[in-house]
Amino acid sequence: SSERPPIEADIIELINEHGKIYTAQILESLNWYKAPTIKKALANLVRMSEIEQMGKGRGTYYKIPKA
């Protein structure tokens, strides 16, 4: 199986910790990554259905999809 990039593992860990988390909280919590890098990783995880994006704009948050 292909190795998950560290940033994606960090994001998933963060979401698991919080249950749901807003984009701003992710950017703040993982601030050693640049914002565009985080947003690209989020979009990738959503595309792979690893995480679920809820809401739009400033109210956007992410959660782990229910099995």
Side-chain angles (χ1 to χ4, degrees), residues 29-63:
S29 300
L30 302 179
N31 63 13
W32 55 91
Y33 295 115
K34 290 187 164 50
T37 308
I38 292 177
K39 289 180 172 155
K40 206 161 83 183
L42 283 168
N44 199 34
L45 287 168
V46 168
R47 199 172 60 241
M48 297 187 305
S49 302
E50 300 264 342
I51 64 175
E52 216 173 319
Q53 180 179 339
M54 313 295 289
K56 286 231 181 319
R58 292 181 67 89
T60 303
Y61 67 88
Y62 297 88
K63 62 190 190 65

Side-chain angles (χ1 to χ4, degrees), residues 17-36:
E17 233 169 80
H18 291 265
K20 72 171 199 182
I21 191 166
Y22 291 90
T23 311
Q25 291 174 284
I26 297 172
L27 295 175
E28 205 174 294
S29 300
L30 302 179
N31 63 13
W32 55 91
Y33 295 115
K34 290 187 164 50

